Structures are given as C-alpha cells and as structure tokens.
Amino acid sequence: MNWIEVHIDTCPGELDDLCARLESQGITGLVIDDEADFKDFLENNHQYWDYVDDDLLQEKKGLCRVTFYLSDDPDGQRQLADIEKMVGAHPQAHLSRAAVQDADWENNWKQFYKPMEIGERLLVIPEWEQAGTSGRVELRLNPGLTFGTGSHATTRLCLRALDAHIHGGERVLDLGCGSGILSIAALCLGAAEAFACDIDDKCVDVAYENAAINGIGKDRYTVRWGNVVTDRALQREFGGEYDIVVANIVADVIIGISPQVRPFLKKGGLFLCSGIIDTRAEEVADRLRQDGWEIRESNTSEGWYSFLCR
C-alpha cells in the first residue's frame, strides 16, 4: 500500500484545537512537533550535548507541526479532502502533502551504514554486510537504537586511538558505551576484558548482542547502566586497575568525571576522552591539566576533539 504523508503547520495557540479536530475525524497516530516542548527539552537536557544545529533551532521557531499518514486510496483521499476544508478555515494553518511509497521502514536506514577501515588494523562492518577483511581485525555491529556505528567523528577518533594503543591483555573501562562499539573494539583488538556502562538502559541488551556477534561472552565483558558521574554503587562495581578508561561523551560530563577517573586506572594507565566540540576543547584541556592529567595526544576531526591522557 502507498501512503499520503500530511504535514499541517500552525502556531502554538492553535495546536490543541487542531489536534482535537483531527482526532474527531478519526485521524490517529499524530506526530506533534511543538516548539515549546523542543525548547523545554533543550533547557532541561543541555548537559548531554554541546551543539544544536542553528538551522534546526530556526526551523522550530514559532512553529508547531502535526504529521500523520493516510492511505493513498479512495477512503484516504476523502479524508484528505475533509481535512483540507477544515484547515482552510484556519488562516494560520498550512497543509502540505507528499506521496510515500510503501517500504521496509525498519531496515531502509541500513543502506547508509557501510564497512569502514579505521586505523591500521580495524574494520567495522555492519552485521548484515559482507566485506573482504584484507587481514584486518573485524568488528561486526548492529547498533540498534543506540549511538555508536563508527560513522561519527568522535567515535572514529576513539577507535583510532584504541587501534594504536591496545597491544594485548589490557583491561578497559568504557564510560558512555552506547552500542558498545569502543569496548568491543578493544576486546577484538586483543584486550583481555572490558566493563562498559551508559546512562541509557537500552545499552545493556544492545552491547551484549553486539559482543555476541563478535564471539565475546560475559566472562570477558560486563555491561551496566547508570549515571557515571553520580552513581556511587556503579562506580564501586567498576573496580580498578584498568589499563585504559575511555569516555566518548560530551564536554560537561568529561569535566565532571575528570577528577574521578584516576582511581579506576592502574599506574601509568591511559584516559581517552572524546565527544568534545572544538569550541570547548581548550576548556576541557585546561580542566584535565588542572586535575593532574598529562595530555599525551590531541586529535581532531570534523570539528571534534579527543585527548589521550596519562
């Protein structure tokens, strides 16, 4: 079946009435983009990122949008005609539509995720892809709903550093693990064991599944969820004597955990941090030095920084 994708743009004051009218006509499954909700989300979650695209902010300014789908058949066309009449009576509302072909929505995104050679040894491969390894170490992933495919610059910076500094037998702590890509990469490259955690509880199932794809079991790999900054019980579970602690998060969280990381490391261990936008790189570097870290390597890609510290 094909579909009609319908967008109705309106002002915030008209949003509730518009939704009520649509529901009274039997339209369900409304997707609502509310400027007020967007601003509230940014205000209450700013600690989790350092960058919001200006074009996106401008796009949301003064605008609310309702999106829904109608079947592209006589019944759907009749519903659309009725809705167009209703919207026409609201001078501040604007309707647009587009034909959408039926598709495998769940899997279409996979066409954009391809094998990547990273560093001297590593090859990151989607689970559903085939690739000639050319002697490289394979890391197979199905990222699911969590962050971490290797395509983002911050992740690649960390993978390159792990590729260069994992020599065999290391213990690795992965703070903010997402799909588990960094800790699993470390294990594939020769690390003996890894502990990973993330604030998103979905990380546990996804990371364990990705580990299993690569033949890595829970005897070598532990995944937990919780806040690495405030969860003391989680921090106690980490233990210590890690060779490498990696944190691919954001500047504020790296600043927050900088003074807390040292007890987890063995003497001479490395702290690899990334997810640092260029406008905050100097601030983070200064804080790391204040907390007693020596920055051994500083790398940048596409406006993002990573620091490898001892």
Side-chain angles (χ1 to χ4, degrees), residues 237-259:
E237 191 176 359
F238 292 163
E241 294 295 302
Y242 289 96
D243 297 278
I244 298 178
V245 175
V246 56
N248 182 24
I249 314 181
V250 292
D252 282 334
V253 178
I254 291 168
I255 288 171
I257 66 175
S258 171

Side-chain angles (χ1 to χ4, degrees), residues 30-84:
L30 301 178
V31 179
I32 301 170
D33 293 317
D34 186 346
E35 181 195 23
D37 290 342
F38 182 65
K39 288 182 177 178
D40 182 67
F41 180 75
L42 292 180
E43 179 64 28
N44 289 291
N45 294 277
H46 62 85
Q47 70 271 32
Y48 296 121
W49 56 73
D50 296 303
Y51 174 73
V52 178
D53 189 272
D54 289 338
D55 290 340
L56 181 60
L57 291 172
Q58 189 62 37
E59 178 184 326
K60 297 293 183 182
K61 188 176 181 179
L63 174 68
C64 295
R65 167 170 284 187
V66 180
T67 301
F68 55 92
Y69 294 86
L70 300 173
S71 56
D72 193 359
D73 57 20
D75 288 339
Q77 294 288 350
R78 281 192 292 270
Q79 279 186 299
L80 179 60
D82 291 339
I83 293 165
E84 286 176 329

Side-chain angles (χ1 to χ4, degrees), residues 97-151:
R97 55 179 172 168
V100 180
Q101 291 186 343
D102 202 3
D104 185 354
W105 300 104
E106 182 177 356
N107 293 309
N108 273 356
W109 64 276
K110 293 180 178 179
Q111 65 183 295
F112 302 107
Y113 179 28
K114 299 297 182 184
M116 291 174 288
E117 293 185 354
I118 297 177
E120 295 296 323
R121 295 182 288 163
L122 195 61
L123 179 67
V124 180
I125 311 174
E127 180 191 12
W128 53 88
E129 287 273 349
Q130 298 295 321
T133 64
S134 302
R136 284 181 172 261
V137 176
E138 289 189 11
L139 168 59
R140 292 191 171 272
L141 286 178
N142 187 343
L145 298 176
T146 63
F147 177 82
T149 64
S151 59

